[in-house]
Amino acid sequence: MTQATVTHTGNDPITDDLRAVADAIRANGRFVLVTHENPDGDALGSMLGAAFGLRALGKEVVTYVSGKAPMPGEYHFLDLTEIQRELPDDLEERVLLALDCANERRIGPDKTGLDRAKLVLDIDHHHDNSNFGAVNLIVDDASSTAEIVRDVLRVLDVPLTSEIAEALYVGLVTDTGRFQYSNTTPKSLRLAAELVEAGADVHGIFRHVYETVQFAKLKLLARALERAQLFEGGRLVVSYLLKDDFGDVGAEEPYSEGIIDSLRAVEGSEMVALIREPPRNEGPARRISLRSSHDEVDVSAIARKVGGGGHRQAAGFSSERPIGDIIDFIRREFALVTHRADSKSA
């Protein structure tokens, strides 16, 4: 199948990539919308916002997230009840629309899904996206996938309802770190205003996402903070969570979402890493999240060396190696990255 891949620069709101996606949506009636396993706010927000928008056009839509782990508790105020955990049996009759997935592996372990689908559309903002769709809308300067979904819905002339606005605002506010990360742009701030005007409840979303914390999550955070170690003179912070930690404190895997941001706040840190062992006996033995505090430390380049990926300042990978070996790898790669960055600035 011929691929159509155009990277949107943000200068023209209606470019070839937007037209290609919009045309594909108009020409088809049945869809399955997917996002990455262990979804965050942008994954869920962009998927739900797109689902509401396509249904407004009269499309028949199924939403899917791989795995059995429960959805993160902070997003339960959104309507997550219709998200399926298995791909539909009639996938061959549906267009698969992937949202916020940097590569096909992030959709889940079922490798046949992309081949079975009638057509694959890929909408994402990760700069290292593998362009796995037949049509790829990769906007690597967008603040979030939710921002791109808004552009698509605008081209499709979908009215911006309060439920669409609420979902997209969740994606926008979480991926920009409450508009504090470097990916916050004038466009993302204008979009925030538009979504609020359309009915997104700013205070309600803030309360649910940031001020409704399960006690077990605080206990899990305490273990990560207790194990945190400083390397390279405090420029690198690494911690880990063991599988037993989740059971000991009564936490599910999604409770580890956001813990790395507490490590990121350490004074003088340039990069942080959180290694966690998922409590369920499925998938990889360990998942590793990486964050950097400035653009010169590209954590996605580190993640790609071991089959992962992500953004320059937020990335991750999976591993079967022991925790000690993973820490050694992170330390070596951090030293290489910072040595190159220091050499350039010298």
Side-chain angles (χ1 to χ4, degrees), residues 18 69 95 111 133 191 207 213 222 306 317 323-324:
L18 279 171
V95 172
K111 308 301 182 184
L191 174 58
R207 185 176 66 255
V213 181
V306 282
F317 63 94
I323 289 176

Side-chain angles (χ1 to χ4, degrees), residues 183-224:
N183 61 339
T184 303
T185 63
K187 180 179 179 180
S188 63
L189 293 172
R190 287 193 294 268
L191 174 58
E194 181 187 22
L195 297 176
V196 173
E197 289 172 346
D201 181 358
V202 174
H203 301 295
I205 291 171
F206 176 81
R207 185 176 66 255
H208 284 293
V209 176
Y210 297 107
E211 292 189 336
T212 305
V213 181
Q214 301 91 343
F215 184 67
K217 183 169 184 173
L218 292 179
K219 299 287 284 185
L220 201 62
L221 170 62
R223 298 207 172 190

